[in-house]
Amino acid sequence: MNFSDEGYIIKLLKHGENSLIVTVLSSQFGKITGFVKGGLSKKKLGIYQLGNTISFNAYARLDENMPQFRGVELVHAGAVSFMQSEQKLFMLSCFCEMMNSCLAEKEELEFLSFYIKDFMNSVKNDNFLVKYSFLEYYLLEFLGIGLDLSECAATGVKQNLEFVSPKSGKAVCLEAGLPYKEKLYKFPHYIVDKNYNPTSLEVADLLNMTAFFLEKNFFKVHGLKFPNNRANLLHNLNFTKEKE
């Protein structure tokens, strides 16, 4: 196996005295984990930071072996933008852990790559939580556990959809859902309408809902622990319903 690509660094592990195991989200090959000899040297320290974009050549004798990353170069120092605040650093940590936990090795990212890139670029505009909410919503679809928001699960109507059932992941119209509204999630209008200027309440509702479905339909199914930083995301960012 021998290929070249570039991607975002999402995980770093020390290996031996001076080397690293690096995981990147690459544009063509998805999540790739490789060995970097001498990655902890002072000369290379600025390259290997979470959130940075690197270019690399991956080489392994056999496809099932972990590749070695060679000729690594820094393409974009994205880590610098996230270091501007504790909130941004926490958001980066959450993103990296969620992507590393949910994505399989060498699985093409397909449509998800657009939302990953959109989120990574958003940190400069302080719109990172909204962009992350889009990413997490479409992560459900990518994992095969997406929500069905096309019509009401109870009546079949396609208008006046206002809720989402936590049991089925399907939309519920206002008339059918109103008596049970305390047990239902809010319909994510801003996601469906591609509105990138939602209220704080809308974003909080969406992220509470995606967290529920990710934990229920992915993490528990695969025997994985839901990441603590994601579970505490809204609290740690002080981004709650009280902001509305």
Side-chain angles (χ1 to χ4, degrees), residues 56-69:
F56 60 90
N57 177 263
Y59 170 78
R61 290 184 179 180
L62 301 175
D63 287 348
E64 58 267 28
N65 292 346
M66 177 185 289
Q68 181 176 348
F69 289 164

Side-chain angles (χ1 to χ4, degrees), residues 10 35 54 86 153-154 177 183 186 189 199 212 226 243:
I10 62 168
F35 170 76
I54 60 171
E86 289 185 7
K183 298 181 179 180
K186 298 286 183 65
H189 288 286
T199 65
F212 171 81
F226 194 65
K243 286 188 67 178

Side-chain angles (χ1 to χ4, degrees), residues 3 7 93 101 129 238 241-242:
F3 65 87
S93 176
S101 298
L129 191 57
N238 296 317
K241 292 185 178 184
E242 284 70 26

Side-chain angles (χ1 to χ4, degrees), residues 108-121:
E108 291 186 24
L109 299 177
E110 302 173 344
F111 65 87
L112 194 66
S113 61
F114 169 83
Y115 296 98
I116 291 173
K117 184 177 180 180
D118 207 29
F119 163 71
M120 293 298 287
N121 290 337

